């Protein structure tokens, strides 16, 4: 710990640094350095964890035990239809994520929770009544200024609203991933109550779905009934308008056709048939005329041939002619029978001629009748066509009225059918969801989660503690390592003087009890070695300790400088008070004197003479008396016979202004010049540099300056400021010495100079304690 390198204990080569003092910066923190930070500040890292752990334990002790019951609902868009309809009034919801999330929010809505509160009478349950809190008066104070219509609510409504609010906080509705399953979790102090409320919420959700559909269907049915009444009256009016217009314009309809059109069709058909009959009659008549003109047999016409009468007469005529022939051949032509048969033949021929003549006359009559009928039909058709032409515009308007009446009738029938379907659905609405798992009574409490809370408290506490430790270490600018002191001061660090424990000092102090009885309190000389503070003689009383090793390291650095340069006056100072400069100055002077070097130790701190107070508290002459010439230097100097060290004490002075003037006067210079010729080395314990100017004045007179720094006490900014104050004599600053170094803690900053690294070398018992 006390060696700068492998061959020299804590000796910095006495080379003038060629680089200016720069503001010190922390090196980059690596994992090893982070571990060291946590080890040296483990209390700060663990403290937040302990605090949070205590708070967590307190919370667990006073927290209310809650049980959670969960009911699972399947939001199923597929709904069974009891009545087959084309479309329901309130269609099934979709299957997108937004719809499912909306249903989850609907489950925890006020409308559903009000049903649950009313059904289970939660307003009478103490668990769902607001409990008085410490901040209630303050809340009421602020809420009084913003009172609104809610203040006029009835007590029942207010109690229901508070119960609903508490139930909302006790309930959590979550969707299972991207499925249609929704969990309804309810917390309660009673496991039975938690399960009952969870199932009641699911039932209220189903009831709300059915109620919403029922209300929508009922509203639609009422609307449809109103529309049907209106459409019915509209249909009646439009159909009446059609009939009235048809009657007014003689547009009566039979079998879907107007009478006029039907008559036209019938007359047209009859006219066609009449024309055909006229043509046939005319053909027969012309044929008869042609036969008559040509003298042909009129019996050859078709009418005669086809006449049954003529056919019978001709058959009879043929029979008679045959009989006549038979009789003529048998009896002769003059026989009476033959004459009688011949008379029958002539009568038959006459009848045939008369029938043919009648047929010819009927042919002409038929032709005249057919032509007359055709003419009559043509006249009737022409008359009806005229009537039809005049009623064309009326028919256009009639068709328009018919279309309007048909449209009204179609709409009326559609609304009527929809009304019947809606009425059928009104009493058959079913929810779009169904329960998958009913909430069962939980057997273990769900809150508070003891292990989770304790684990989080420890983890958060350790995390916050580590952050706090890193931040504190980063913001801690106190000097803790030799490298840090060198970087800030810009001069070598000579040694690190370890801290001596209070038990060790007490052990050494007990050795002076025997001398205490023989000591004269009024003696003006040095205290006996046994009565001197143990720390002032520790380097020579305990030469095998690291404390003595550090003093020897400083002495060696000084000896090397003395070999190469003339050094007579060495100032031991510090930036602030209580940094161990007096202990360092006394032990260094004693160590030099033990080597046979004529050494003088001067107590230059006239305001706080710690050297005098430790070694010769009753001295009657000192530096001030020598400087002003009241006492000869030889009379004021005290010599320690055990070490040969000469000591020039400093008596108490009340006039502070006189001390400042003395330090800047030539008398101090003369005193030092006087001792330069009589001693090989002068060690001055000077006042601190920052608060007092006396030390800076003495620095002007010193050949070398040693700056003591209290380990883990002196801020880096103060050290930098002290070096700025010594800038006029910067080349005389030999180096810095870390004092009061806790070797057990130093391993967290510099392992290789700590007690952990020096254990094999028999480190002295170094315990935590105060040292001067």
């Amino acid at each position: 710990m006390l060696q700068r390198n492998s061959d020299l204990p804590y000796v910095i080569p006495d080379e003038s640094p060629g680089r200016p003092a720069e503001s010190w910066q922390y090196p980059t923190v690596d994992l090893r350095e982070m571990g060291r930070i946590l080890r040296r500040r483990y209390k700060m890292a663990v403290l937040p964890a302990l605090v949070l752990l205590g708070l967590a334990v307190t919370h667990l002790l006073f927290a209310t035990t809650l049980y959670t019951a969960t009911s699972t609902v399947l939001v199923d868009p597929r709904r069974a239809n009891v009545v087959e309809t084309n479309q329901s009034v309130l269609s099934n919801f979709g299957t997108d994520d937004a719809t499912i999330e909306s249903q989850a929010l609907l489950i925890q809505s006020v409308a559903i929770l009000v049903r649950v509160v009313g059904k289970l009478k939660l307003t009478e349950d103490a668990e769902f009544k607001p409990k008085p809190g410490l901040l209630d008066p303050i809340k009421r104070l602020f809420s009084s200024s913003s009172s609104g219509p809610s203040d006029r609510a009835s007590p029942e409504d207010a109690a229901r609203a508070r119960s609903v609010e508490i139930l909302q906080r006790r309930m959590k509705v979550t969707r299972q991933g991207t499925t249609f399953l929704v969990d309804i979790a309810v917390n309660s102090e009673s496991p039975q109550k938690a399960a009952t409320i969870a199932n009641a919420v699911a039932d209220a959700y189903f009831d709300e779905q059915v109620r919403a559909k029922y209300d929508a269907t009922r509203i639609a049915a009422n609307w449809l009934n109103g529309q049907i009444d209106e459409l019915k009256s509209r249909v009646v009016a439009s159909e009446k308008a059609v009939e009235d217009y048809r009657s007014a314009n003689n547009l009566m309809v039979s079998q879907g056709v107007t009478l006029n059109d039907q008559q036209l069709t019938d007359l047209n058909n009859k006219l066609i048939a009449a024309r055909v009959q006229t043509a046939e009659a005319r053909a027969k008549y012309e044929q008869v005329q042609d036969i008559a003109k040509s003298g042909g047999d009129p019996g050859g016409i078709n009418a005669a041939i086809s006449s049954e009468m003529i056919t019978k007469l001709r058959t009879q005529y043929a029979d008679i002619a045959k009989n006549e022939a038979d009789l003529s051949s048998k009896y002769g032509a003059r026989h009476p029978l033959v004459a009688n048969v011949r008379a029958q033949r002539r009568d038959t021929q006459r009848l045939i001629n008369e029938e043919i003549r009648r047929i010819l006359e009927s042919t002409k009559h038929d032709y005249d009748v057919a032509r007359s009928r055709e003419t009559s039909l043509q006249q009737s058709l022409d008359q009806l066509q005229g009537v039809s032409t005049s009623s064309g515009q009326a028919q256009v308007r009639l068709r328009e009225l018919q279309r309007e009446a048909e449209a009204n009738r179609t709409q009326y029938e559609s609304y009527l059918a929809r009304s019947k379907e809606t009425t059928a659905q009104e009493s058959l609405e079913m929810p779009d969801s169904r329960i998958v798992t009913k909430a069962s009574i939980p057997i273990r409490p769900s809150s508070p989660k003891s292990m989770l809370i304790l684990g989080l408290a420890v983890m958060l506490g350790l995390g916050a503690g580590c952050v706090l430790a890193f931040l504190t270490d980063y913001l801690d600018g106190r000097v803790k390592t030799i490298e840090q002191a060198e970087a800030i001061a810009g001069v070598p660090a000579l040694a690190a003087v370890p801290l001596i424990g209070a038990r060790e000092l007490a052990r050494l102090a007990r050795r002076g009890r025997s001398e205490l009885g023989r000591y004269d309190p009024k003696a003006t000389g040095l205290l006996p070695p046994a009565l001197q503070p143990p720390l002032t003689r520790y380097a020579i009383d305990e030469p095998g300790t690291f404390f003595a090793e550090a003093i020897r390291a400083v002495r060696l650095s000084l000896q090397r400088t003395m070999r190469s340069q003339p050094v007579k006056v060495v100032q031991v100072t510090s930036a602030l008070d209580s940094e161990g400069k007096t202990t360092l100055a006394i032990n260094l002077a004693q160590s030099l004197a033990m080597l046979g070097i004529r050494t003088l130790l001067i107590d230059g701190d006239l305001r706080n003479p710690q050297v005098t107070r430790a070694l010769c508290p009753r001295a009657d002459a000192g530096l001030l008396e020598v400087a002003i010439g009241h006492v000869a230097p030889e009379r004021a100097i005290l010599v320690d016979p055990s070490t040969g060290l000469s000591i020039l004490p400093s008596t108490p002075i009340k006039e502070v202004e006189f001390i400042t003037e003395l330090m800047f006067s030539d008398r101090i210079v003369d005193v030092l010049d006087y001792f330069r010729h009589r001693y090989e080395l002068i060690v001055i314990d000077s006042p601190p540099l920052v608060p007092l100017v006396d030390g800076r004045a003495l620095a002007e007179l010193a050949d070398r300056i040693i700056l003591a720094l209290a380990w883990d006490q002196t801020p880096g900014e103060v050290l930098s400021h002290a070096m700025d104050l010594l800038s006029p004599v910067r080349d005389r600053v030999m180096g810095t010495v870390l004092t009061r170094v806790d070797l057990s803690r130093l391993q967290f900053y510099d392992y290789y100079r700590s007690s952990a690294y020096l254990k094999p070398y028999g480190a002295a018992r170094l315990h935590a304690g105060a040292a001067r």
Side-chain angles (χ1 to χ4, degrees):
M1 178 266 164
L2 300 177
Q3 295 187 356
R4 177 65 183 175
N5 49 44
S6 59
D7 56 350
L8 295 177
Y10 275 89
V11 176
I12 304 298
D14 190 14
E15 297 178 359
S16 178
R19 55 182 175 84
E22 299 177 354
S23 60
W24 184 82
Q25 295 181 352
Y26 282 97
T28 303
V29 178
D30 55 8
L31 294 178
R32 186 180 300 175
E33 181 63 19
M34 292 174 66
R36 294 195 189 103
I37 292 174
L38 294 178
R39 290 186 64 187
R40 60 178 175 252
R41 300 191 182 274
Y42 70 94
K43 293 182 179 179
M44 185 173 296
V46 174
L47 181 60
L50 296 178
V51 172
L52 289 180
L53 185 61
L55 294 176
V57 172
T58 304
H59 169 72
L60 293 176
L61 292 177
F62 293 97
T64 302
T65 302
L66 298 177
Y67 294 85
T68 301
T70 303
S71 176
T72 303
V73 173
L74 174 62
V75 181
D76 191 0
R78 300 171 301 174
R79 182 171 57 88
N81 289 327
V82 178
V83 179
E84 183 66 26
T85 58
N86 294 330
Q87 185 178 4
S88 60
V89 174
L90 189 60
S91 61
N92 298 341
F93 46 78
T95 60
D96 57 322
D97 292 341
T99 302
I100 306 302
E101 294 295 337
S102 299
Q103 293 299 312
L105 294 177
L106 176 62
I107 295 176
Q108 50 190 334
S109 63
V110 175
I112 292 180
L113 298 187
V114 166
R115 291 173 175 265
V116 177
V117 170
K119 179 180 179 181
L120 301 181
K121 298 181 180 180
L122 297 182
T123 54
E124 303 175 3
D125 193 334
E127 183 180 352
F128 292 90
K129 292 181 179 180
K131 298 178 176 58
L134 298 177
L135 300 179
D136 286 349
I138 300 177
K139 293 180 180 179
R140 286 194 296 268
L141 179 63
F142 284 98
S143 62
S144 61
S145 60
S146 59
S147 59
S150 59
D151 297 337
R152 297 190 293 270
S154 63
E156 294 78 7
D157 294 340
R160 187 184 302 108
R162 288 191 291 267
S163 298
V164 169
E165 183 179 356
I166 295 174
L167 180 56
Q168 281 181 327
R169 293 197 297 267
R170 291 291 185 88
M171 186 178 68
K172 184 178 181 182
V173 180
T174 56
R175 179 186 180 187
Q176 294 185 7
T178 58
T179 65
F180 293 160
L181 296 176
V182 177
D183 292 333
I184 304 174
V186 177
N187 299 325
S188 178
E189 299 175 6
S190 170
Q192 295 84 358
K193 189 187 303 180
T196 301
I197 295 176
N199 292 327
V201 170
D203 294 338
Y205 170 59
F206 299 151
D207 294 342
E208 178 64 20
Q209 283 189 336
V210 174
R211 185 197 62 79
K213 291 190 174 184
Y214 176 78
D215 292 344
T217 304
R218 185 177 57 185
I219 293 173
N222 295 335
W223 181 82
L224 285 173
N225 291 333
Q227 294 295 317
I228 287 172
D229 294 339
E230 181 181 354
L231 289 174
K232 182 177 180 181
S233 60
R234 191 183 304 172
V235 169
V236 172
S238 60
E239 289 182 348
K240 186 177 182 300
V242 171
E243 296 300 329
D244 293 343
Y245 189 82
R246 181 181 288 117
S247 298
N249 293 272
N250 195 21
L251 298 175
M252 301 306 294
V253 176
S254 176
Q255 298 180 354
V257 183
T258 62
L259 294 179
N260 191 19
D261 292 340
Q262 189 175 6
Q263 290 176 357
L264 282 175
T265 303
D266 293 342
L267 285 177
N268 191 38
N269 293 333
K270 291 179 179 180
L271 178 60
I272 293 174
R275 287 177 178 174
V276 172
Q277 292 177 0
T278 301
E280 290 178 356
R282 184 175 59 187
K284 291 179 180 180
Y285 177 72
E286 290 177 353
Q287 182 182 10
V288 171
Q289 292 295 326
D290 292 337
I291 292 174
K293 290 179 179 181
S294 61
D297 183 13
I301 61 175
N302 293 332
I305 294 174
S306 60
S307 176
E308 293 181 359
M309 181 59 70
I310 293 177
T311 301
K312 291 179 179 181
L313 291 175
R314 285 183 175 179
T315 302
Q316 184 178 358
Y317 180 82
D319 292 338
I320 291 174
K322 180 180 179 183
N323 190 22
E324 180 183 5
D326 290 338
L327 290 178
S328 296
S329 61
K330 184 175 180 182
Y331 296 106
R334 295 184 183 276
H335 192 279
L337 290 175
V338 174
N340 188 21
V341 170
R342 188 174 296 117
Q344 291 180 357
R345 181 175 61 81
R346 286 193 293 270
D347 291 337
T348 302
Q349 183 63 43
R350 179 179 56 79
L351 292 174
I352 291 174
N353 292 335
E354 289 178 355
E355 184 65 22
I356 291 173
R357 187 168 46 256
R358 187 186 63 80
I359 290 175
L360 293 177
E361 290 177 355
S362 65
T363 301
K364 182 178 184 304
H365 180 268
D366 291 341
Y367 173 67
D368 293 338
V369 171
R371 188 173 56 184
S372 176
R373 184 170 177 270
E374 179 183 357
T375 303
S376 177
L377 290 175
Q378 183 65 46
Q379 291 176 354
S380 299
L381 180 62
D382 294 339
Q383 183 180 1
L384 286 176
Q385 286 180 346
V387 174
S388 176
T389 302
S390 62
S391 62
Q393 297 298 326
Q395 289 182 354
V396 172
R397 174 60 181 167
L398 177 62
R399 285 192 292 272
E400 181 180 352
L401 293 175
Q402 288 176 339
R403 286 193 298 270
E404 182 178 356
E406 184 65 25
N408 292 336
R409 185 183 304 105
T410 302
Q411 188 177 9
Y412 170 74
E413 292 174 353
S414 175
Y415 274 54
L416 185 61
R418 186 62 179 156
S419 176
K420 297 297 183 182
E421 294 176 359
T422 304
T423 304
Q425 291 178 359
E426 189 171 345
S427 59
L428 296 174
E429 290 294 349
M430 301 178 64
D432 291 329
S433 304
R434 59 185 177 89
I435 190 166
V436 176
T437 304
K438 278 188 170 293
S440 58
I441 299 177
I443 59 177
R444 288 187 297 270
S446 59
S447 176
K449 300 182 182 298
S450 303
M451 299 305 298
L452 178 61
I453 293 176
L454 294 178
L456 287 177
V458 172
M459 293 179 61
L460 293 177
L462 290 177
C466 292
V467 173
L468 183 61
F470 290 138
L471 182 62
T472 303
D473 193 83
Y474 177 77
L475 298 177
D476 187 5
R478 294 175 293 183
V479 179
K480 299 180 181 65
T481 62
I482 288 179
E483 289 77 7
Q484 187 178 358
E486 291 180 353
I488 297 175
V491 296
L494 305 179
V497 181
L499 175 71
I500 307 301
R503 293 184 179 180
E504 178 70 10
L505 295 178
R507 180 184 66 83
L508 296 176
R510 285 194 293 270
R511 296 185 301 182
R513 292 179 180 178
S514 59
E515 296 289 338
L516 188 60
R518 297 189 297 268
Y519 173 68
D520 182 8
K522 297 182 180 180
T524 59
L526 290 174
L527 291 173
L531 296 180
Q532 294 178 7
L535 201 57
T536 59
R537 301 181 62 85
Y538 198 82
I540 59 176
D541 291 343
E542 302 289 339
T545 62
F546 294 123
F547 185 94
E549 187 72 15
I551 298 299
R552 288 193 291 269
V554 178
R555 184 188 68 185
L556 181 58
S557 299
L558 182 59
Q559 286 178 309
R560 294 182 62 193
T561 305
M562 293 172 61
R563 293 190 192 104
S564 59
Q565 299 176 7
V567 176
K568 285 289 187 177
V569 180
V570 177
Q571 179 188 10
V572 179
T573 184
S574 63
L576 300 174
D577 192 18
S578 302
E579 292 196 75
K581 62 179 180 59
T582 300
T583 301
L584 175 62
I586 294 174
N587 282 274
L588 177 61
Q590 290 174 350
S591 179
L592 291 169
M594 290 291 292
L595 293 180
I597 301 175
R598 285 176 295 132
T599 306
L600 173 64
L601 175 61
I602 300 178
D603 189 354
D605 193 352
L606 300 180
R607 302 172 189 266
N608 185 21
Q610 293 187 11
V611 173
T612 303
R613 192 179 296 119
L615 301 180
C616 47
R618 296 292 181 177
D620 56 357
L623 177 60
L624 178 61
E625 289 75 13
V626 174
I628 61 179
H630 290 177
V631 177
E634 290 76 5
R635 182 179 177 279
I637 292 177
L638 303 176
V639 179
D640 184 2
S642 62
T643 59
L645 175 64
S646 298
I647 302 173
L648 179 60
S650 177
T651 57
I653 302 175
K654 297 182 181 180
E655 294 80 2
V656 179
E657 297 81 1
F658 183 74
I659 296 176
T660 304
E661 296 299 331
L662 177 64
M663 288 300 174
F664 286 93
S665 65
D666 294 337
R667 296 178 181 180
I668 295 295
V669 178
D670 295 339
V671 171
L672 293 179
D673 288 343
Y674 176 80
F675 290 124
R676 282 176 184 270
H677 298 87
R678 288 164 175 76
Y679 291 93
E680 296 182 44
L681 192 63
I682 302 171
V683 179
I684 302 177
D685 179 24
S686 74
L689 298 174
V690 175
L692 301 174
V693 74
D694 302 351
R696 301 172 221 170
L698 289 176
E700 301 285 344
L701 306 177
D703 298 327
R704 286 293 181 268
I705 301 172
I706 298 176
L707 187 61
L709 305 175
W711 182 82
D712 198 20
Q713 178 178 338
T714 304
E717 296 83 358
V718 174
L719 174 58
S720 178
H721 180 54
M723 294 303 298
D724 293 339
L725 296 177
L726 294 176
S727 57
V729 292
R730 186 180 184 84
D731 56 337
R732 304 179 191 178
V733 180
M734 190 173 70
T736 59
V737 177
L738 291 180
T739 62
R740 301 180 178 180
V741 178
D742 189 345
L743 296 182
S744 60
R745 292 175 55 198
L746 185 63
Q747 62 179 328
F748 303 131
Y749 299 95
D750 191 351
Y751 177 81
Y752 298 105
R753 295 183 180 88
S754 65
S755 60
Y757 185 71
L758 297 174
K759 281 182 179 179
Y761 300 98
R765 294 171 296 171
L766 303 176
H767 304 287
R772 295 200 319 165

